[in-house]
Amino acid sequence: MPLPDFNWADCDTPWNYITDDLLPRYLELSANQVVARPVLAEPFSDELAAGRLLRRRPDLLDDRIAQWQLTA
């Protein structure tokens, strides 16, 4: 999921993002208990740690390097 492209200091835009995007996705997820239970059971701190750049750095570097080509 890409990060939102707006200024969080602007009060209206983040609130619209929360009410128009995040909340409806959460409600859809929570309506399907089979899907929601494993997603919501994972501790938020684990999810947050998994998204940290330092933890993802090896995968990010591998992805960038895989696309390099040597030319003569």
Side-chain angles (χ1 to χ4, degrees):
M1 171 190 254
L3 293 174
D5 184 23
F6 54 77
N7 182 353
W8 282 94
D10 174 19
C11 292
D12 291 333
T13 307
W15 188 249
N16 290 338
Y17 174 67
I18 291 167
T19 58
D20 297 340
D21 190 45
L22 293 180
L23 180 60
R25 298 300 83 72
Y26 173 79
L27 294 175
E28 288 173 13
L29 177 66
S30 61
N32 185 344
Q33 291 298 313
V34 173
V35 176
R37 194 171 311 274
V39 172
L40 297 177
E42 183 152 358
F44 180 73
S45 59
D46 293 351
E47 286 289 319
L48 186 61
R52 297 234 180 253
L53 183 58
L54 285 177
R55 187 169 175 182
R56 295 177 33 229
R57 184 174 48 184
D59 293 331
L60 294 171
L61 290 174
D62 286 345
D63 183 52
R64 297 304 269 165
I65 292 170
Q67 297 178 25
W68 287 0
Q69 296 179 7
L70 294 177
T71 58

